[in-house]
Amino acid sequence: MLNTRLSVGLFVAAGALVLAACDSSAAPDAASLDPTKCADPNFASAHKDFCVDNASVPETPATEAATLSNGLKVRIVSAKSETVDSNAYDSGPTENVVVTIATEITNTGNATLVFPTAKSNVRTELSYGANHAKATNSAVQKSGPTDLPEQLVAGGSVTMMSTFTMRAGGADNVVFRFNPDSTTTDDITFTNVQTLYK
């Protein structure tokens, strides 16, 4: 017959092994996790830090419109790319491709929408090429930019011009990210903007 003290000792040791296996510190590292699984609420709650860092931004083809949670409908009405003398723009000497994007913003809600007074809350960002290089957003032609108005009445529309400079050779995979107020809404990410170039 097995000694009682020995059997209790074996049981305690086996329990310790099970607890060690279940210890959260033994969780897989982020490199072994699949970010696409963050859409599953159970996976997302079990891996909160990982899923926050890998939250996907919905993408919209440049030929389509997107509607924000505050009722603003946004669409790109035109985009053009041209090679120019970089001295005419506030950019570096190697950035001589200018991309101009006209974005129409329509208030589809029932109330007047007030835009933020801090222009830093408005995001207009262009990236391009295989490595998503950031275009320079300060490429304002010396005539000056078109800004958002202070407010937009229900049913009203406004067109905003965004101008960027980038290096030649990055005409593929152009992505335009826009947000009229980053403190209240998510970004809109328009893909394949180069298909709209005139």
Side-chain angles (χ1 to χ4, degrees):
M1 180 169 192
L2 187 62
N3 183 326
T4 308
R5 292 171 76 189
L6 180 60
S7 63
V8 169
L10 288 173
F11 179 76
V12 170
L17 286 173
V18 170
L19 287 175
C22 295
D23 183 10
S24 63
S25 64
D29 62 359
S32 65
L33 296 176
D34 181 1
T36 60
K37 291 185 179 178
C38 289
D40 175 9
N42 293 329
F43 182 89
S45 65
H47 305 285
K48 288 179 184 171
D49 291 340
F50 173 78
C51 287
V52 166
D53 291 341
N54 289 279
S56 62
V57 178
E59 295 181 344
T60 302
T63 55
E64 296 179 15
T67 303
L68 291 165
S69 57
N70 61 2
L72 285 183
K73 182 179 179 182
V74 182
R75 70 183 185 101
I76 298 175
V77 291
S78 69
K80 70 176 183 176
S81 173
E82 58 185 327
T83 303
V84 297
D85 175 7
S86 60
N87 291 328
Y89 288 80
D90 301 327
S91 58
T94 60
E95 296 182 321
N96 63 348
V97 175
V98 175
V99 175
T100 305
I101 297 175
T103 310
E104 181 186 68
I105 305 157
T106 304
N107 184 355
T108 64
N110 297 321
T112 297
L113 193 138
V114 178
F115 288 106
T117 54
K119 294 303 178 188
S120 60
N121 291 346
V122 180
R123 180 198 298 269
T124 56
E125 183 179 284
L126 194 77
S127 61
Y128 61 97
N131 297 320
H132 298 287
K134 295 280 188 277
T136 302
N137 196 10
S138 60
V140 177
Q141 198 165 14
K142 291 178 178 175
S143 61
T146 301
D147 285 332
L148 288 171
E150 290 181 10
Q151 60 186 18
L152 190 58
V153 297
S157 295
V158 64
T159 300
M160 187 184 85
M161 304 298 289
S162 303
T163 307
F164 305 88
T165 52
M166 63 185 198
R167 294 173 183 257
D172 62 329
N173 196 23
V174 179
V175 174
F176 177 60
R177 188 166 288 138
F178 174 74
N179 191 332
D181 187 354
S182 60
T183 62
T184 61
T185 59
D186 293 329
D187 293 348
I188 298 172
T189 301
F190 291 102
T191 59
N192 294 316
V193 175
Q194 73 278 0
T195 61
L196 300 178
Y197 287 166
K198 300 289 185 207

